[in-house]
Amino acid sequence: MNKQTSKNTRHVRELVYMAVFTALAFAIALVIRFPVPPFLTLDLKDAAIAIGAMACGPFSAILMTAAVAMLEFFTVGDTGVYGLIMDVLSSVGFAFTAALIYKYKKTFAGAVLSLISAVFVMTSVMVAANLLITPYYMGVSVSAVRDMIPTLLLPFNFLKATLNAAVVALLYKPLTKALSRILGKQNRHPVTHKKGNRSLWMTFVALGVIIAALLVLFLAMDAGVDFFK
């Protein structure tokens, strides 16, 4: 196989990866949606986009995010252009950050660093976006939005980002390995750390974070506490 043929094959494989994870992200957006009063929605589509971007490169996060956001906008979206913009900022902030760091540091430590960074970048971007965009689209004052930061916007976005990061940590290797086997080639971006304790440790931590995050969400909503008010 010459160099050009190899390059074309790699591009086709990346397109397949992107198509699969875009479809998966949209399916998740349709099925796994938790409304959080008064106007937020918790979902896990950013995890699917991030996994695809970590396998294909950071700029694929932008393409997959745009595709998923437009599909949502024309199907289940109920917040119009406002929701479209916020979806794009959320997904790009999370997935692009994770994939960019992972691209240059494909180790266990790099994977952990990429996900932690993605959590903080997404949380920061969404808090800033709410301050800048929400007043115009929701018809509220900037001070009203600012008052919601410590009790609603900050905890919600941190919880959402953390939950998505835990799902990525749990499912990245199984999903990319399965897809690589289907396509007949090993994953281009493996996490280069020894199997065993570290992988097991990450799995248990990810499961613990997912359970804890969902428990906090459901308890807060069911009990009607002021955590998300």
Side-chain angles (χ1 to χ4, degrees), residues 24-108:
L24 180 59
F26 180 56
I28 290 172
L30 293 177
V31 177
I32 307 176
R33 298 171 66 86
F34 303 104
V36 178
F39 57 85
L40 302 171
T41 301
L42 179 67
D43 60 52
L44 300 177
K45 69 176 180 291
D46 292 344
I49 295 171
I51 293 173
M54 290 170 77
C56 298
F59 288 101
S60 67
I62 299 173
L63 298 176
M64 288 185 286
T65 292
V68 175
M70 291 303 296
L71 287 170
E72 279 192 89
F73 179 75
F74 288 111
T75 55
V76 297
D78 55 5
T79 52
V81 176
Y82 170 76
L84 176 66
I85 294 172
M86 300 303 270
D87 276 348
V88 169
L89 291 175
S90 173
S91 297
V92 170
F94 182 83
F96 183 86
T97 301
L100 181 63
I101 295 175
Y102 184 64
K103 177 181 179 180
Y104 296 103
K105 195 172 180 61
K106 298 184 182 72
T107 63
F108 178 82

Side-chain angles (χ1 to χ4, degrees), residues 56-199:
C56 298
F59 288 101
S60 67
I62 299 173
L63 298 176
M64 288 185 286
T65 292
V68 175
M70 291 303 296
L71 287 170
E72 279 192 89
F73 179 75
F74 288 111
T75 55
V76 297
D78 55 5
T79 52
V81 176
Y82 170 76
L84 176 66
I85 294 172
M86 300 303 270
D87 276 348
V88 169
L89 291 175
S90 173
S91 297
V92 170
F94 182 83
F96 183 86
T97 301
L100 181 63
I101 295 175
Y102 184 64
K103 177 181 179 180
Y104 296 103
K105 195 172 180 61
K106 298 184 182 72
T107 63
F108 178 82
V112 173
L113 177 63
S114 70
L115 293 177
I116 291 175
S117 300
V119 168
F120 284 100
V121 169
M122 175 181 161
T123 302
S124 301
V125 166
M126 294 313 294
V127 169
N130 273 284
L131 281 171
L132 295 173
I133 299 171
T134 299
Y136 297 100
Y137 279 93
M138 303 298 290
V140 297
S141 66
V142 175
S143 61
V145 176
R146 189 182 299 116
D147 290 341
M148 288 191 291
I149 290 176
T151 57
L152 173 65
L153 299 177
L154 184 60
F156 170 78
N157 285 291
F158 183 77
L159 174 65
K160 179 179 178 180
T162 301
L163 190 56
N164 275 276
V167 172
V168 173
L170 186 66
L171 297 181
Y172 174 78
K173 288 184 71 175
L175 285 179
T176 54
K177 281 185 176 180
L179 190 54
S180 294
R181 283 195 295 269
I182 293 172
L183 296 177
K185 186 174 181 179
Q186 292 299 312
N187 183 21
R188 295 172 54 232
H189 303 300
V191 178
T192 55
H193 60 78
K194 294 180 180 180
K195 295 181 179 180
N197 291 337
R198 284 186 173 181
S199 296

